[in-house]
Structure formats: structure tokens, C-alpha cells
Amino acid sequence: MINITLPDGSRKKIENGSTPMDIAKSISEGLARNVLCASVNGEIWDSNRPINFDAKIILHTWKDKEGKMVFWHSTSHIMAEALEELYPGIKFGIGPAIENGFYYDIDFGKYTISTEDLTEIEKKMKEIASKKVTFERINITKKDAISFFKRKKDEYKLELIEELEDGEITFYRQNKFTDLCKGPHITSTGKIKAIKLLNIAGAYWRGDENRKQLTRIYGISFQKQKDLTEHLEMLEEAKKRDHRKIGKEMELFTFSKKVGQGLPLWLPKGTLLREKLENFLKKAQTKAGYLPVVTPHIGNKDLYICSGHYEKYGVDSFQPIKTPNDDEEFFLKPMNCPHHCEIYKSKQYSYRDLPVRFAEFGTVYRYEQSGELHGLTRVRGFTQDDAHIFVRPDQLKEEFISVINLVLYVFNSLEFKDFKAQISLRDPNEKNKYIGSDENWDKAENAIIEAAEEIGLEFIKEYGEAAFYGPKLDFMVRDAIGREWQLGTIQVDYNLPERFELEYTGSDNQKHRPIMIHRAPFGSMERFVAVLIEHCGGKFPLWLTPDQIIILPISEKYHDYAKKVSKYLKNYDICGPIDTRAETTNRKIRDAEVSKIPYIIIVGEREEKEKTISVREHGGNELGIMSIKNLKDIITEEINKIIT
RNA sequence: GCCGAUGUAGCUCAGAGGUAGAGCACUUCCUUGGUAAGGAAGAGGUCACGGGUUCAAUUCCCGUCAUCGGCUCCA
């Protein structure tokens, strides 16, 4: 007999060699039906694999990430089997589960494959799944494993095996398909009831661009058809909310081949939206003691040699702009911090002056690889809502806390309710990758962690994700349809103050070095607007939307009255067009609804006579006849609720 | 940058070796309307760009550029 402990702390004695499935059955039939895999002393485990030692057991179902991952991983094996049947002789790379589904990297050799083929592969997969066979775990010696894949002439698997220790190698087999795999897998292929292959892409073998590019097929699977339908609907919804599509429809921004790839052009409506965001943050920053600064778009080469960026990013990233006569070299600025350091240096500071906070909506330019550009989320010229804060070491934690609070204020105001924080720390094994002393790194990392803990911010730690000059705290927000985006960032930097020899005079009358905090709550205006568009599907909150109202005169006779209404509202910064087309009212209403304007104002004979307006909210809710002042009050009150 | 796909009117897209079509939008006219598409007419395209094959290329081939899906990268 062995002892097992369940997550609720309860203990059970079971027969040596029992499986997680046996344990599930002893709890309930329902659980046994749903269990997909288990954690055994923290190791992920097949539900039909015997346990012969005392262990802590967690049973995983579809509800757990582990359950889904195993389910999807098993589906990728089924895809591989289907592919091998359809395209004999192909070779396999790796086929893991990912956040939403699975993929397999395949060397198709002589075959070419396109999206049209996916339907047939799916069909084959369903056929295989419906056979309800088990995934069989096979322990195999390294020698036998090698000879197996030598027979298959699969150099990719052979390469993987080479790196494994003899004795720890396992194969998994379902039907005729056998794969190198450490598992675990679900018990029966029959659990996979709904499969969808999503797309095909190229992927380098082992992520190395110097090695062969394999064909990657992405897919997802579910236990119920209904779940697949829902997932596909979510993808549809994401497509509808795509900021590139909405940006075009709502005339927010555009791109031009002539201007250049990755260089967004903000249209009037987009600019209005962006300026509202900027003003909102400026106001909050003023309250928090930030000082506005403005710096030019280029900087002398010496500036970047001093900052160390030139050395780090080198001639590849920095193409010089040369002055005609005296041979000076300038660079488009890829970040604002060196400029801000020089602003700091322009005067002397006492310890009483700190923290000093310089804020600038600074536009920067970075050469992103052409294949990486994507709408507004990845561009070559963008504006950071940047600020650099210079603090004394004893102020670091406190200032970090107030920056976190500012970021949280921004997210709350913009209805991003669901977010998490990631603290990026050094890779403890590769400390030489970073600049700055060990001691400073420790201090900075601890300050961030303590600050986050102090205000009760939930966070995860990621080792090896820090910038080369310091640790950071990034915010990931979850949007309305569940996707995660990285937005705001706060970074501690001991490096630049050192390189720029920044100083303040302490109470001891000695020179001391400040610490610098880089921070950007939005990250970049471009990226943030993109995420905001997708979060709200183009239906912006009232205080941000470029047009809050649209006025629809019933006929031409009421155009003058419409203009009066518009003028009145404009006095209170309530803006929007008048639809003067010779169209029916129904038509104008429809178009106004499609354009997502929050308030539709209809004026005709009655309204003109009574000096009123008829108001309808976006979505169809009629507010009825009211005075113009009444609507003004409704709108200003709603806006004031957010912007306090 | 790499692999693959795509590029036709302002937008969404159809089409074919013999120099182009729809819907929406736009303009004009008729209609003067009451809470999600009134009617008619018109205008609008070197078919991304540059080569090649051909009697003939927007269509086939090659290259370039851009976009999309990934990979790699990201101060």
C-alpha cells in the first residue's frame, strides 16, 4: 500500500501500482470521466500510469491548464499520425501544446501543403480520434530509440534524442504512430471530439534562423463541439475588433507606402482620441509632481556613446545623419532617457529637490524588422508616454509605489479591470549579461518586489527577463475578449546615472548618485490606442470618443436649428457632426448606429418649436425629448465620473 | 531579415491570354422624411511597380515594393 495526499489535504491509502484514474474512480465516477492527467509530486503524469510510491496527487481536468495542455498535446500526436498516413515519409520536429491549442513542426520533404489541405487532415484526425485507442507509454533505451528514428530517417528526432540521457527516454504510441515524447497523454483518443486546424506557417528548426525552416500547422481541439464553436466565435470576434480594420473604418489612422513602412499617420479623429488620452495622463502627472520637458527627435552620436546604447545596439540600429560641413553625426532617437539625463545635468540638485520627474510624450524611432510590423502595435516610429524620475536611494521604494499607483489609476479609468504584473529579474546564471554592480541589482530587485508587495499588487516573477540595465515591472492587461497585452512598464536604472555622472548634493555636503526610474503607463500611444480599440471594439468610452454626438435633422428645414444645437454643445466641448445628407431619418439613424457614436440627436419641427432635442443612445435606447442643457448635463456628468 | 499567401474603383470583393465588373461609399437630380438601408442618373481603375514571354499581358514567368499569417528579433 502507498499513501497519497490530495490537494484538500485528505489522505488515502491505496494499492501500490494504482493509477490516478483509480484514485479518481474512488472519489466519483464523474471525476473519473473528466480527469485528463495528474500531477504526482509536482510531476505531470498520465492518468493511467501506475504510482508506486507515497505521493501528493492533483487530478487535472479540462478546467486546469495542465488538463488542457495534455489534451492538446495528445491532439498534436493525432495530427502527426494523420499526416504520416496522408504524406508517407515526412519528418517530424516538435509538436507541443501552446496557450491556445497545439502545433507540430514538420519537414514535408517533397510534398507541398496549403490551407486547402487542412480540411482533409482534420477529417483524417477525426477518423483516428473516433477509434478510441489508448496512448501507450513505452520506456525505451537510447540505442533502440536511435535505431527507430534512423529507420524512419528522421534527423530531427535523432537530434533531440542525442541530447537525452539514456534511461529517461520514452515513446508514446497510438495506433501505428509512435513518437518520441515525454508525455503525458490522455487515456483515449476518443475524448477528442472537436478538432480545428487553424493555419500553416513557417518555423525554423529549434528557432534558429540559420537552420532549416519547417512547416508548422496550428490547431485546437475540444471535448465538446460546442466549445469549439465558442472558440471559433471568439476568434471571429477578435477579427471584428482588429484595430487595423476599425482604425480604417473609423478614420483613426492610416499608413502610406510613400511615407514608409511602419510609420503611422494619425488622422484627425485618431489624433483627437490620442490627445484626449495624453491630456488625461498629463493632468494626472501634474498632480503627481511631474515636470514637462520637450526634447528633439535626434541626438548627437556622443550622447549614445555616453549612454552605452551605441555600443550595445551598434551600427546596425543607428544610421547616422551627417551634417554637411563639420562632419558631426546625429541619430534618430530610439529612446528619450539620454536626453532627459542631460536635462537633469543642466542644473545642480540638492537632496531636498529629489525626486525630480521629467515627463515627455517623446516620439522615438526604432528599426523593426519588416516582417515584424503589425498595425499600430509594432511600428518604426512611436510616441512613448515617457518619464524619468531621479530619486535618492532612500526614496526608491516609495516612488516606485506611487508610480504603480499612477499606472493603476490609468488602467482603472480606462476600464481595464483585469490585469497582472510581471517583475522581470536577472537570469541568475548569466549575471555577466547585465551592466551594473551585483549589489545595485539586488537593491533594485528588492525595492520593486517590496513596493509591489506593499500595495498588495499581485505579480509573477520572471527570471532572465530584465533589461540589460535594470529590473522592471511590466503590466499585462486582459481585454474584453480575454486576450493579454503588455502595456505599461516601470524600470529601475542604476546604469545611466552612472554613465552620465548624475549627481545631487546630500545633507552631508557630499556628491551622491541618484537612481533613475523609467516609466510609461501606456507604453506607447500607438500600441495603447490599438489595444484600447480592440478592448472596446471601437465603442470608446464617452470621454475619449472623437465624436460624442451626431445631429440628425429630419429634413433640410431644420439644418439651422441643428447648427444652433451643435454650437451650444460645442461650448461644453461636446462635439460631433450634423448629418445634412438628403437621406431619410431611418437611413441617418442606421449610419449613426454603425459609426458607434454614443448619442444620436434628432431634431425636427417639434424640437425646433419647443427648443428641445430628441435623444437616442447608441444601441437603440431612446432617452426621448429633453432640453439641450439636459443632454449637456448628462454627458458632462458621465465624463466627470471618470476624469476627476 | 526568413518561409508562405495576397495585391483589381475610396472600401469589401468577383473576373479572365484579346486592354475590366458588383455591392457599398461619392456627385447630381427627384423625394422633405420621426428612431437601423427611399428612388434615378452619373463619375471613378496604366488591374501595386519594373522587366520578360507572346501578334496581344491586368491575366503566364522573373524581380521589386507593400499587406497578411507565422518564425526570428525587440533599448
Side-chain angles (χ1 to χ4, degrees):
Chain A
M1 295 298 265
I2 54 170
N3 294 305
I4 56 147
T5 313
L6 292 167
D8 63 0
S10 65
R11 285 160 187 279
K12 269 178 189 274
K13 264 195 192 312
I14 56 163
E15 206 126 322
N16 192 354
S18 296
T19 64
M21 186 55 83
D22 296 330
I23 298 163
K25 276 184 187 149
S26 76
I27 297 170
S28 84
E29 272 301 316
L31 181 60
R33 262 199 309 279
N34 287 323
V35 70
L36 294 169
C37 66
S39 290
V40 175
N41 287 341
E43 188 188 345
I44 191 110
W45 201 268
D46 301 271
S47 57
N48 59 1
R49 181 173 166 194
I51 307 166
N52 33 35
F53 44 83
D54 290 353
K56 280 188 180 161
I57 310 276
I58 306 169
L59 298 169
H60 296 299
T61 64
W62 183 257
K63 285 189 195 115
D64 305 326
K65 192 177 164 209
E66 290 84 351
K68 284 196 186 83
M69 294 295 259
V70 166
F71 189 84
W72 285 329
H73 183 195
S74 295
T75 315
S76 86
H77 277 229
I78 290 176
M79 180 168 80
E81 181 182 346
L83 288 167
E84 193 166 60
E85 241 178 87
L86 293 167
Y87 309 95
I90 57 172
K91 299 166 193 174
F92 294 95
I94 55 164
I98 50 175
E99 199 179 340
N100 275 306
F102 59 88
Y103 67 80
Y104 219 119
D105 284 346
I106 299 129
D107 183 347
F108 274 95
K110 62 183 172 176
Y111 304 100
T112 51
I113 176 159
S114 74
T115 39
E116 282 105 69
D117 302 316
L118 294 181
T119 325
E120 201 197 339
I121 301 166
E122 260 170 39
K123 219 175 105 194
K124 194 80 182 169
M125 288 172 70
K126 283 174 197 159
E127 201 182 299
I128 293 165
S130 64
K131 286 185 193 161
K132 300 185 183 174
V133 299
T134 51
F135 286 89
E136 188 189 344
R137 182 184 170 90
I138 303 159
N139 287 303
I140 190 160
T141 62
K142 189 163 181 173
K143 201 173 139 233
D144 289 349
I146 289 171
S147 68
F148 178 87
F149 281 106
K150 272 205 173 136
R151 273 201 305 281
K152 277 187 92 176
K153 295 195 175 62
D154 190 329
E155 67 263 30
Y156 306 103
K157 294 292 180 189
L158 285 169
E159 183 178 327
L160 295 173
I161 293 167
E162 276 310 321
E163 292 165 18
L164 296 173
E165 297 287 325
D166 199 3
E168 65 172 22
I169 299 174
T170 52
F171 280 6
Y172 272 80
R173 179 163 67 208
Q174 86 274 5
N175 295 307
K176 276 174 272 172
F177 181 76
T178 307
D179 201 354
L180 169 73
C181 180
K182 68 170 183 274
H185 282 280
I186 56 176
T187 45
S188 163
T189 61
K191 283 187 184 291
I192 301 165
K193 294 275 193 330
I195 301 168
K196 181 77 187 169
L197 299 184
L198 296 164
N199 50 33
I200 301 178
Y204 300 109
W205 171 233
R206 316 210 87 176
D208 183 344
E209 63 179 305
N210 298 314
R211 305 197 62 178
K212 180 149 184 179
Q213 187 147 22
L214 306 178
T215 304
R216 178 172 293 181
I217 303 180
Y218 286 91
I220 194 159
S221 61
F222 295 91
Q223 291 178 295
K224 295 179 203 144
Q225 186 61 41
K226 189 173 144 264
D227 291 343
L228 173 61
T229 310
E230 269 173 28
H231 180 78
L232 294 177
E233 277 166 6
M234 196 275 280
L235 292 180
E236 250 342 276
E237 181 62 25
K239 224 186 248 174
K240 271 191 231 156
R241 287 164 173 258
D242 191 318
H243 74 279
R244 292 167 298 185
K245 183 172 172 292
I246 291 179
K248 199 183 267 178
E249 283 166 2
M250 296 186 76
E251 297 178 9
L252 300 174
F253 59 88
T254 189
F255 289 89
S256 142
K257 198 197 279 195
K258 262 199 193 107
V259 170
Q261 241 191 327
L263 299 170
L265 302 170
W266 289 79
L267 302 174
K269 283 184 184 180
T271 307
L272 215 52
L273 170 69
R274 176 184 154 139
E275 283 182 347
K276 286 181 184 191
L277 281 168
E278 287 180 359
N279 291 338
F280 158 73
L281 184 58
K282 274 181 190 165
K283 209 167 143 188
Q285 285 179 168
T286 305
K287 267 192 214 167
Y290 287 77
L291 306 169
V293 294
V294 174
T295 63
H297 287 231
I298 62 174
N300 194 293
K301 180 177 176 179
D302 293 340
L303 181 69
Y304 300 107
I305 288 173
C306 177
S307 71
H309 289 105
Y310 186 76
E311 190 192 359
K312 177 86 184 167
Y313 293 97
V315 282
D316 292 340
S317 309
F318 287 98
Q319 293 303 314
I321 302 162
K322 286 191 183 175
T323 52
N325 298 323
D326 28 46
D327 220 23
E328 275 184 298
E329 288 185 15
F330 290 85
F331 298 111
L332 275 173
K333 71 174 170 187
M335 76 299 292
N336 303 301
C337 28
H339 288 76
H340 289 187
C341 285
E342 283 301 298
I343 291 180
Y344 181 91
K345 281 199 91 164
S346 70
K347 75 174 230 186
Q348 282 206 322
Y349 292 95
S350 140
Y351 70 97
R352 291 192 197 87
D353 298 326
L354 271 43
V356 170
R357 309 176 184 90
F358 294 140
E360 172 179 22
F361 286 86
T363 305
V364 297
Y365 301 89
R366 295 178 190 176
Y367 181 79
E368 303 289 356
Q369 295 191 79
S370 60
E372 194 48 49
L373 301 170
H374 179 95
L376 283 185
T377 59
R378 244 0 240 293
V379 288
R380 286 178 173 166
F382 58 95
T383 303
Q384 295 178 311
D385 55 326
D386 215 354
H388 297 96
I389 306 171
F390 303 88
V391 296
R392 305 191 305 257
D394 63 288
Q395 293 170 320
L396 179 60
K397 192 171 93 186
E398 191 189 340
E399 188 61 24
F400 211 91
I401 288 173
S402 73
V403 175
I404 293 174
N405 282 329
L406 179 71
V407 175
L408 296 183
Y409 166 69
V410 169
F411 288 177
N412 283 326
S413 304
L414 286 152
E415 291 167 46
F416 287 107
K417 303 287 182 219
D418 191 358
F419 48 82
K420 64 183 185 196
Q422 172 183 313
I423 297 182
S424 301
L425 306 165
R426 269 175 308 178
D427 183 343
N429 301 318
E430 285 194 77
K431 288 192 175 174
N432 54 343
K433 256 174 51 184
Y434 306 92
I435 30 187
S437 74
D438 227 29
E439 190 198 350
N440 282 343
W441 269 87
D442 285 341
K443 274 196 268 179
E445 292 182 345
N446 289 333
I448 295 180
I449 292 166
E450 281 169 28
E453 278 170 349
E454 203 152 301
I455 53 174
L457 184 72
E458 250 181 75
F459 62 88
I460 50 163
K461 287 187 211 169
E462 286 290 339
Y463 292 91
E465 290 292 309
F468 72 92
Y469 52 78
K472 58 181 181 171
L473 190 159
D474 293 320
F475 287 88
M476 331 281 206
V477 303
R478 194 179 282 279
D479 75 9
I481 54 170
R483 294 167 305 170
E484 267 190 16
W485 302 85
Q486 198 218 297
L487 291 176
T489 180
I490 315 174
Q491 313 184 350
V492 177
D493 188 350
Y494 284 89
N495 176 49
L496 283 183
E498 194 76 39
R499 299 191 75 113
F500 280 89
E501 299 178 329
L502 306 183
E503 290 176 336
Y504 64 88
T505 309
S507 55
D508 55 2
N509 201 25
Q510 297 294 305
K511 297 291 184 197
H512 297 272
R513 188 125 295 159
I515 305 163
M516 191 165 151
I517 299 172
H518 310 242
R519 46 101 278 180
F522 293 142
S524 90
M525 299 312 293
E526 283 72 9
R527 193 180 159 75
F528 191 83
V529 167
V531 174
L532 184 65
I533 289 170
E534 305 207 359
H535 181 53
C536 64
K539 195 178 172 302
F540 298 108
L542 190 61
W543 66 279
L544 281 177
T545 193
D547 292 324
Q548 292 132 327
I549 53 146
I550 181 166
I551 304 175
L552 314 184
I554 294 285
S555 82
E556 213 174 323
K557 286 184 259 173
Y558 314 108
H559 284 186
D560 281 345
Y561 182 59
K563 279 179 203 157
K564 278 185 197 156
V565 173
S566 166
K567 200 173 160 193
Y568 177 96
L569 291 171
K570 213 170 267 176
N571 283 333
Y572 298 95
D573 280 330
I574 297 167
C575 300
I578 303 171
D579 188 344
T580 55
R581 292 176 304 168
E583 286 294 347
T584 58
T585 305
N586 272 352
R587 177 50 184 275
K588 292 179 184 176
I589 288 168
R590 188 194 130 79
D591 289 347
E593 285 289 349
V594 169
S595 67
K596 304 182 181 83
I597 296 175
Y599 290 101
I600 297 170
I601 299 171
I602 297 167
V603 292
E605 189 182 355
R606 188 159 26 129
E607 289 80 6
E608 177 164 32
K609 205 179 279 170
E610 294 170 357
K611 300 268 172 283
T612 55
I613 51 178
S614 175
V615 181
R616 168 188 166 127
E617 284 182 301
H618 172 73
N621 182 33
E622 276 186 57
L623 300 181
I625 306 274
M626 63 176 73
S627 69
I628 311 175
K629 179 177 177 297
N630 199 344
L631 178 65
K632 184 263 294 179
D633 290 341
I634 291 174
I635 292 177
T636 43
E637 195 179 314
E638 201 179 324
I639 289 176
N640 286 338
K641 260 194 290 185
I642 309 282
I643 317 292
T644 43

